[in-house]
Amino acid sequence: MTVEERVANSPYPSGGLLEGKVAVITGAGVAEGIGATCAAVFVKEGAQVLTADISGGQVETAVALGPSVSPFRADVTREEDVEAMFAHALEVFGRVDILVNVAGNPGGRRGAEVTVEEFESLTSVHLLGTVLTNKHAVRTMLPTGGGAIVNFSSAAAFNVDGRISPAYSAAKAGVNAVTKAVAVQYGAQGIRANAVAPGFTLSRKNHAVPPEIMADLESRAALGRAGQPEEQAHVAAFLASDRASFVTGVIVPVDGGWSVKLA
Ligand SMILES: NC(=O)c1ccc[n+]([C@@H]2O[C@H](COP(=O)([O-])OP(=O)(O)OC[C@H]3O[C@@H](n4cnc5c(N)ncnc54)[C@H](O)[C@@H]3O)[C@@H](O)[C@H]2O)c1
C-alpha cells in the first residue's frame, strides 16, 4: 500500500486540524518515510505543503498528494538552499505557518569506530540542518505574527544502547537544545518550537532490517512493537496545530515507551 493509501484508509477521520495553514516539510522524499507521511497527514488535515528533499523524491511526494503541495529541492546543510526553500514557499503560498524538519541521514558506527566523515555527515544534516531551517523559519514567520516549528529528534537523544552511533545521538541531543533555544528566544513573538523523538519506526528503510534485529528492536518498546510513520506524523500535526497553542520547548518521545525502560 502506498503512503497516501495508508493515510486515506487511516481509522482517524480528518479533523481539519491544520485548515488554512502552510507547512514546509523537509525530508519528504521517501515514500513511506516519516517526512512524506507527515506531508500526507498534513494535507489530509487541511494544510498546504511544500515538500523539500535533497533526493528528488520530493516531486513524487507532491505529485501523489495533489495540487495543495509544491515540491522544492533543498539540501538542509546549505544555507542558500534553505533560504531559497522559504522564498519558494512564500512565492507559492504567500506565507509560512509551520516548519516540520524531518531530514536526516543514517550512521551506525560505535564509539571506537566513529570517523570524522561520519561525525561531520551526521552533525551537518541533523544539527546544522536544524539550525539553518529553524533560523530561516523564524525569519519567515516573524513578520506574519509567528508560527510553529516541529523538529525531528530521536529516542537516542535521551539515552543510548549498544547499537546507536554516538555521533547520531549527539547530533539529536543538539536538535533538542536548538529546539529549546528557539522556543525560549522567540516565544514572546508568537513562535512555538517543539520536537518529536521517535523510537524504532517502520519507515521504508527499516523494512529491510534483518528479522532477529527487528525482533530485538520491537522488544525495546514497552508496547512491544515498532512504530508506524503515521504515529509520528499525527503527533507532529498536533504539535504544529493551534490545539497545542500553550506547548513549546518540549521534546515528545513517540517511542512506545522505549525511553522510559531501564533496559
Ligand atoms: N525511522 C526511525 O526509526 C527513526 C527513529 C528515530 C528518529 N528518526 C528520525 O526521524 C527522521 C525521519 O526518519 P526516516 O526513517 O523517515 O528517514 P528516511 O531516511 O526514510 O528519510 C530521510 C529523508 O531525509 C532526506 N535527506 C537526507 N539528507 C538531506 C539533506 N541534506 N537535505 C534534505 N533532505 C535530506 C533523505 O533524502 C530522505 O528523504 C530522521 O531525522 C530520523 O533521524 C527516525
Side-chain angles (χ1 to χ4, degrees):
M1 209 188 303
T2 66
V3 65
E4 299 75 36
E5 285 164 347
R6 281 170 52 183
V7 170
N9 295 332
S10 153
Y12 311 114
S14 166
L17 198 60
L18 300 170
E19 208 62 60
K21 303 281 190 194
V22 175
V24 169
I25 303 180
T26 72
V30 177
E32 302 202 52
I34 293 171
T37 306
C38 282
V41 166
F42 276 51
V43 167
K44 193 173 177 195
E45 292 292 347
Q48 294 176 291
V49 172
L50 180 148
T51 51
D53 206 277
I54 194 173
S55 67
Q58 70 281 354
V59 175
E60 193 188 315
T61 307
V63 168
L65 293 177
S68 50
V69 182
S70 179
F72 192 80
R73 190 200 165 280
D75 175 350
V76 295
T77 71
R78 290 168 51 90
E79 187 158 17
E80 57 270 40
D81 282 17
V82 173
E83 246 183 307
M85 173 177 79
F86 283 102
H88 183 76
L90 283 180
E91 197 182 305
V92 174
F93 299 120
R95 56 184 291 121
V96 175
D97 305 291
I98 295 164
L99 164 69
V100 186
N101 185 40
V102 188
N105 57 344
R109 290 192 174 88
R110 300 199 303 171
E113 288 88 42
V114 70
T115 62
V116 171
E117 289 72 24
E118 178 173 290
F119 177 83
E120 286 181 347
S121 158
L122 289 170
T123 52
S124 71
V125 177
H126 293 280
L127 185 49
L128 178 61
T130 301
V131 168
L132 294 176
T133 55
N134 283 226
K135 170 182 173 178
H136 288 283
V138 168
R139 288 183 175 206
T140 306
M141 290 169 179
L142 282 179
T144 49
I149 294 173
V150 181
N151 291 317
F152 266 77
S153 177
S154 170
F158 305 127
N159 286 303
V160 294
D161 65 14
R163 283 202 190 91
I164 290 168
S165 143
Y168 177 78
S169 185
K172 289 301 200 186
V175 169
N176 294 359
V178 172
T179 303
K180 291 177 193 179
V182 171
V184 169
Q185 291 170 0
Y186 298 99
Q189 289 158 277
I191 291 185
R192 295 185 301 103
N194 296 290
V196 173
F200 180 60
T201 301
L202 287 174
S203 55
R204 188 166 67 186
K205 67 171 188 245
N206 286 340
H207 292 178
V209 170
E212 63 284 3
I213 296 180
M214 181 80 83
D216 178 46
L217 288 168
E218 286 172 346
S219 74
R220 301 296 177 89
L223 294 179
R225 65 172 177 84
Q228 294 295 335
E230 290 91 328
E231 294 178 300
Q232 304 299 335
H234 284 293
V235 178
F238 167 72
L239 290 172
S241 79
D242 291 341
R243 293 199 201 161
S245 52
F246 205 49
V247 182
T248 196
V250 171
I251 316 303
V252 182
V254 184
D255 63 359
W258 184 6
S259 59
V260 297
K261 285 177 73 176
L262 285 175

